Amino acid sequence: MDIERETLLQIVISAVAVVLFVGATVTVSQMYLDGSTVEATGGYALIGAIGLFVVFMTAAGLWLERQQF
């Protein structure tokens, strides 16, 4: 089974992005955990992590689209 270089690069970039996103959400939720809920500041940090994930995936998609394979 041969995988094209472009497909492999897409898989790697997506996997790295997901691992970083999960790591960021776990870290933020542990840092801002107050009993059994997340503090308000932690909520903003989680929104920031989601926003950064969206921006990163958009930038990665644009970069991949412009590459000549």
Side-chain angles (χ1 to χ4, degrees), residues 1-4 7-8 11:
M1 179 173 93
D2 293 332
I3 298 177
E4 294 181 14
T7 304
L8 182 62
I11 292 169

Side-chain angles (χ1 to χ4, degrees), residues 2 7 10-12 23-25 27 29-30 33-34 50 57 67:
D2 293 332
T7 304
Q10 290 172 348
I11 292 169
V12 169
T25 55
T27 301
S29 65
Q30 287 180 352
L33 193 63
D34 182 27
I50 293 168
M57 290 304 289
Q67 297 302 306

Side-chain angles (χ1 to χ4, degrees), residues 14 16 64:
S14 298
V16 168
L64 282 170

Side-chain angles (χ1 to χ4, degrees), residues 16-30:
V16 168
V18 169
V19 167
L20 289 175
F21 174 68
V22 169
T25 55
V26 168
T27 301
V28 166
S29 65
Q30 287 180 352

Side-chain angles (χ1 to χ4, degrees), residues 22-53:
V22 169
T25 55
V26 168
T27 301
V28 166
S29 65
Q30 287 180 352
M31 287 178 57
Y32 294 102
L33 193 63
D34 182 27
S36 62
T37 61
V38 176
E39 297 175 0
T41 307
Y44 294 130
L46 285 173
I47 291 171
I50 293 168
L52 286 175
F53 176 73

